Amino acid sequence: MARQPIAQEEIPRIWEQVCQTPRHGKSVAYLHVPFCTNHCLFCNFYRNSTKRHSTSDYVDAVIREIEREAESEMVRSAPVHAVYFGGGTPTDLDARDLARLLKVIRETLPLAGDCEITVEARATGFSADKIKACLDAGANRFSFGVQTFDTAVRKRLGRRLSGEEMAGVLSTICAMDRAAVVCDLIFGLPGQTDESWRKDLDLCLELGLDGVDLYCLTLLPASPLARAIEKGSIQPGAAIREQASRYAIGVETLIKAGWHQISTAHFARDTRERNLYNQLIKAG
């Protein structure tokens, strides 16, 4: 069935119907944090500057919404198998607010005993107190949008940390051994070479990560990177043939290292990494 936009005046009535409808089968919950410290050139999801908004007020509103629907048929009728804190940058919230959100999710939603609880993280500003707050409050999976460890390419894309600094953050969290740690890599970036792509893959293997996603660069016309390429201030990314070659290099490297492929993009080092949220979303 084709999906159709809902008229603004119809939203309350339709939402009420949804809340009265029981869920069947495996379910997921998504919690959105629409704030970022800065707008990376390649990103299609940026909406609000963290510095210009009260993130605590937003967290208060989200908690009120979760608690308002807590006893609805929609919420209580079946277990929730995966929870995903996405954005934006969830880890732009302070430690107290991250803990509050995780706590209310665990106390309010009927989570399955093996529920996967993912916090989408950014190494910049993800301080030790925030990491501890997430882990102590029940997060069991961190997903980092690394994109590349190549410092020159990272800086060109608006990433603040060097590749070495990024690797250091990941290594520290992996060494804690309290949660699955996964990262995204993008192939086809401007300035990326086959050599730098292989180095990115090798570093993922060395760091002790539990999973990695290999994504092809997607350029939307409105993104800052697309505009910069159009103006000629940044060179274009890889052509389709090069993109295909780098994806093949990625698959070969990870499979040869003993990782298993969960989906077209996602690979896991062992059974600790399940990628449940994305798998269940794709299953409807």
Side-chain angles (χ1 to χ4, degrees):
M1 183 175 69
R3 295 173 180 171
Q4 298 294 328
I6 297 171
Q8 187 71 28
E9 63 272 13
E10 286 292 292
I11 290 176
R13 179 184 65 80
I14 293 175
W15 178 246
E16 184 62 29
Q17 290 177 353
V18 171
C19 288
Q20 294 173 6
T21 303
R23 292 179 290 112
H24 301 284
K26 292 185 181 294
S27 298
V28 302
Y30 176 79
L31 191 147
H32 191 61
V33 180
F35 307 109
C36 291
T37 301
N38 66 297
H39 190 175
C40 298
L41 291 187
F42 61 87
C43 184
N44 301 318
F45 301 106
Y46 178 87
R47 291 295 179 272
N48 305 289
S49 167
T50 306
K51 298 175 182 178
R52 298 179 184 173
H53 296 82
S54 172
T55 56
S56 289
D57 287 347
Y58 180 78
V59 170
D60 290 341
V62 172
I63 288 175
R64 286 195 301 270
E65 182 175 327
I66 293 169
E67 292 176 339
R68 185 181 66 230
E69 316 297 356
E71 298 305 318
S72 67
E73 187 68 15
M74 170 189 68
V75 171
R76 307 312 311 173
S77 53
V80 173
H81 292 268
V83 177
Y84 196 93
F85 285 62
T89 309
T91 52
D92 268 11
L93 302 179
D94 64 29
R96 175 178 173 271
D97 284 335
L98 285 165
R100 285 202 297 147
L101 281 174
L102 284 159
K103 183 173 183 286
V104 77
I105 286 289
R106 295 188 70 195
E107 292 179 348
T108 306
L109 300 188
L111 304 186
D114 62 346
C115 184
E116 174 190 275
I117 304 176
T118 302
V119 175
E120 194 171 76
R122 187 171 183 172
T124 306
F126 197 25
S127 52
D129 63 326
K130 292 185 183 184
I131 297 169
K132 185 177 186 300
C134 289
L135 292 170
D136 289 349
N140 55 27
R141 186 174 182 268
F142 292 117
S143 177
F144 286 86
V146 172
Q147 323 315 351
T148 179
F149 292 100
D150 185 314
T151 298
V153 178
R154 288 179 60 81
K155 298 296 184 183
R156 197 175 298 121
L157 295 174
R159 308 318 296 263
R160 296 187 174 187
L161 296 186
S162 68
E164 292 76 13
E165 291 170 320
M166 182 75 236
V169 172
L170 293 177
S171 179
T172 297
I173 299 177
C174 287
M176 293 177 180
D177 200 24
R178 293 183 60 186
V181 183
V182 305
C183 83
D184 300 341
L185 293 179
I186 294 179
F187 54 90
L189 291 167
Q192 186 183 61
T193 64
D194 284 353
E195 181 184 5
S196 66
W197 175 240
R198 290 183 187 276
K199 287 181 178 178
D200 283 346
L201 295 164
D202 289 342
L203 195 48
C204 283
L205 299 179
E206 294 170 12
L207 287 172
L209 296 173
D210 298 285
V212 62
D213 275 295
L214 308 182
Y215 290 128
C216 182
L217 176 65
T218 301
L219 279 180
L220 294 184
S223 71
L225 181 56
R227 293 198 297 267
I229 291 173
E230 185 179 354
K231 292 177 182 177
S233 56
I234 290 182
Q235 67 186 89
I240 291 177
R241 186 176 295 275
E242 293 174 278
Q243 292 172 352
S245 173
R246 289 193 190 138
Y247 175 71
I249 289 170
V251 173
E252 180 184 10
T253 300
L254 295 169
I255 296 298
K256 187 177 180 179
W259 290 42
H260 59 279
Q261 189 167 5
I262 294 179
S263 68
T264 304
H266 196 78
F267 297 77
R269 179 166 57 91
D270 54 33
T271 55
R272 183 183 205 177
E273 165 56 4
R274 299 175 294 162
N275 198 32
L276 266 185
Y277 176 82
N278 287 324
Q279 295 305 304
L280 293 174
I281 282 289
K282 291 172 184 175

